[in-house]
Every structure is written in C-alpha cells, then in structure tokens.
Amino acid sequence: MRPILMKGHERPLTFLRYNRDGDLLFSCAKDHTPTVWYADNGDRLGTYRGHNGAVWTCDVSRDSARLITGSADQTAKLWEVSTGKELFSFRFDAPARSVEFAIGDALAVVTTDNFMDHVPTVQVKHIAEDIDDQTEDSALVITGIKGRINRAVWGPLNRTIITAGEDATIRIWDSETGKLLKESDKESGHQKTITSLSKSLDWSHFVTGSLDKSAKLWDTRTLTLIKTYVTERPVNAVDISPTHDTVVLGGGQDAMNVTMTDRRAGKFEAKFYHKILQEEIGGVKGHFGPINALAFNPDGRSFSSGGEDGYVRLHHFDSEYFSIKM
C-alpha cells in the first residue's frame, strides 16, 4: 500500500473530511487555508482563502456545493466549493471549534471555545438556500458545559446533538429545546479529554478517541458503551470504516515531548482495530509527528491521515485488507 503524499499545508493538519460521493477530500490545518484535493490521486484542486487563524474543522454539504469551516479567528465561514468564493461569515466572541451540517443542510451546529470571559457554547445556525437571506441568528444556544467542546455532531434525524470535549463526558442534547437528555457514565467513560468523535455510516453508533489512550464505541440512542480499544498512546483521531468492521485510531505524544529521530519512536502510526473483537489487525506508519486527523473514504477502499508534520497521506487499501479473516 503505497501512500500518496499531499503537501499543501505549511502547518500541522487539524481535520480531514470526504464529501458524500468520496471523490473530494477537504483538509484543514493551522495555516488558515482549508484545501480541497481529488480523493483518488491526491491532486490539489484548490484552496479557500479568507480565515485569519487556524482552521479547526470543516464539513461539506451532501451535494458538495457548500463548505463550512470553523476557525480560531472567531468565525465560521460558508464557502462555495466549486469556486472557493466565501459566501458568508458567522462571527462569534470566541474561536469556533467544531462545525457540522445537519441532514438536509438547512442547519449547522457550531461550537465556540471558552475564551476570556466567554463560556463554551453549542450553537445551531439556520443555513439559507439563498445566500442573500442568510443571517447570523442562532436557532439554539446551549451553555453549561465545562471545558472546551472539541466535537459536536448531529444525532439521528437531527433530533439530537452529541457533544464531547475536555471534561471527558459525552452528552446528548435535544436539538429543539437544548435540554440535556443523556450523559456518559463517569466510570466506564473516558478519563481524559475527548479529542475526536466519528459516526458510523448509519449513525447507529459512534466512536470517540481520547488522551486517556483509548477509543470507545457507543450506542447513539442510549449512550451505552459497546466496545473499548486500548492503545499505548494518546488518541487524537478516530474513524469507523463504512464497509468493514474496522476502526482506525491515530495519535502520538504531544509535539513538544517527541524526538524527531525515528518515526516509530513517538508511535506515529495509524492503528486498525477489529470493531467487534477489539483486536489490533494492522498499522500504517509514515508520519513524522502525531496524527491529528483520520478519515475513511465513503467507499471504504481508501483512507487518509493528516499529521503534525503538515502532510496528508492518502492510502488505497491492498486487496489483502478486504480479505482479512479474524
């Protein structure tokens, strides 16, 4: 499995997202410029210029027409995917950390950090079909979470919002009223900051990665813990294969605790685990620094990883991967 090396960012990667068709890959980094690539050969298609700070996350609409990005410059921006044109900017009082479109792309959830005197919030924004009708008004604002919210995603049928972050607790909220419906169990849940959260294809379960050196699989409706994948490094990124029973974890120590001598020394590989048996089935090395972002292609035949080293690595699976028997 020879990786395709994609160099378009000057700073560490923060997030990767494929579009629904799996032909485009969007990457975010600390260098202010989200980038779009062809997902089959890794050619750079274009960039989205306009942010003045690190870009933490992005999401793309189902028809691949619009991109939303959340940035440390205290804005979330809407872009036209095909032209790179900035359509609208939502301004906040704090850095925008996590963004995601709802089913139907008429709503988006944005989280803002705890910054100066501002508490972290989860905000729901209406996304207008005609950009001239777009406003900055929030349909819902959820507060009361301690610590930074690293991820907020929509639950099934847009009825709920699932949040996770620095306080190591996963919470499910009613997306209409903002009422807290469920919280993850303190004993069986993560013990340190949750860095990442990724949903399964049918949204019935999701996986979270944490600095407590584990990833956990949860039931979306009941918030029951299903599986735990234990590793020997902090987990910065997780994803679930859309076609196979595998989850991929990536991470490594913080950049400041790392010697750059050997790429195995800091444990900078993407590790694959069997989703049900919880056993490690393989690993992919290559990054010269912690892995910050991982994403499976929606067709399940390739995956990409983004690292502290500023590279995106695109891997097409060999035929052996598809015939792994456990």
Side-chain angles (χ1 to χ4, degrees):
M1 181 161 72
R2 267 196 75 200
I4 298 169
L5 244 69
M6 292 140 68
K7 181 71 175 153
H9 291 290
E10 290 149 21
R11 299 283 316 280
L13 269 285
T14 53
F15 198 74
L16 293 168
R17 169 79 85 198
Y18 284 94
N19 67 341
R20 182 161 155 252
D21 300 326
D23 60 339
L24 299 176
L25 173 64
F26 297 85
S27 61
C28 302
K30 293 184 180 174
D31 63 2
H32 312 181
T33 318
T35 300
V36 58
W37 315 77
Y38 281 118
D40 58 344
N41 60 8
D43 284 352
R44 181 158 67 164
L45 193 55
T47 55
Y48 300 89
R49 296 188 180 275
H51 277 302
N52 293 319
V55 182
W56 297 119
T57 47
C58 66
D59 194 18
V60 57
S61 60
R62 280 172 80 85
D63 59 2
S64 301
R66 287 184 182 175
L67 180 75
I68 186 169
T69 53
S71 167
D73 66 7
Q74 307 191 355
T75 66
K77 290 184 189 290
L78 280 174
W79 310 83
E80 192 169 41
V81 168
S82 53
T83 61
K85 184 174 148 212
E86 183 183 322
L87 298 175
F88 194 80
S89 190
F90 298 99
R91 289 167 310 207
F92 300 99
D93 299 326
R97 176 72 48 175
S98 173
V99 293
E100 190 180 69
F101 284 119
I103 305 174
D105 302 322
L107 296 167
V109 62
V110 184
T111 71
T112 64
D113 288 356
N114 39 341
F115 181 71
M116 317 278 269
D117 303 333
H118 299 287
V119 295
T121 65
V122 179
Q123 303 193 21
V124 175
K125 300 285 188 186
H126 285 292
I127 306 293
E129 269 191 55
D130 183 349
I131 206 68
D132 296 336
D133 302 334
Q134 185 66 55
T135 66
E136 290 197 62
D137 300 341
S138 293
L140 175 71
V141 178
I142 299 170
T143 55
I145 302 175
K146 301 264 190 298
R148 195 167 73 207
I149 308 159
N150 285 328
R151 287 284 177 272
V153 299
W154 294 92
L157 303 176
N158 299 346
R159 286 182 183 150
T160 54
I161 293 169
I162 304 163
T163 63
E166 266 184 351
D167 64 358
T169 308
I170 301 162
R171 294 180 177 84
I172 298 183
W173 308 82
D174 185 304
S175 60
E176 297 247 329
T177 64
K179 186 167 156 259
L180 179 61
L181 303 176
K182 289 189 177 68
E183 271 191 18
S184 61
D185 182 52
K186 290 268 189 291
E187 295 296 310
S188 62
H190 287 293
Q191 302 306 312
K192 289 187 181 170
T193 297
I194 297 171
T195 54
S196 48
L197 188 157
S198 179
K199 295 181 288 197
S200 65
L201 188 64
D202 62 0
W203 297 28
S204 65
H205 52 286
F206 64 91
V207 65
T208 53
S210 165
L211 299 183
D212 66 9
K213 304 183 180 175
S214 74
K216 291 178 185 286
L217 192 73
W218 307 84
D219 183 293
T220 307
R221 290 183 196 279
T222 62
L223 208 49
T224 317
L225 178 63
I226 308 171
K227 303 282 179 188
T228 299
Y229 313 95
V230 181
T231 170
E232 65 282 357
R233 79 216 51 180
V235 179
N236 299 340
V238 289
D239 203 11
I240 302 178
S241 168
T243 52
H244 289 68
D245 283 329
T246 47
V247 294
V248 60
L249 321 180
Q253 301 107 312
D254 244 348
M256 53 191 179
N257 310 331
V258 167
T259 56
M260 290 304 240
T261 47
D262 180 10
R263 21 186 163 172
R264 288 189 305 280
K267 311 243 187 304
F268 307 132
E269 53 188 320
K271 293 266 192 175
F272 288 81
Y273 285 77
H274 194 286
K275 184 160 80 179
I276 291 141
L277 302 177
Q278 305 175 50
E279 288 172 18
E280 190 182 320
I281 52 178
V284 177
K285 296 188 178 73
H287 281 286
F288 278 99
I291 293 174
N292 295 338
L294 286 167
F296 273 104
N297 191 306
D299 67 7
R301 306 189 71 81
S302 61
F303 86 102
S304 54
S305 57
E308 193 76 23
D309 54 10
Y311 280 96
V312 181
R313 296 175 77 94
L314 175 65
H315 307 262
H316 289 278
F317 290 118
D318 297 333
S319 53
E320 292 91 79
Y321 167 81
F322 301 106
S323 56
I324 292 174
K325 296 275 185 289
M326 291 299 277

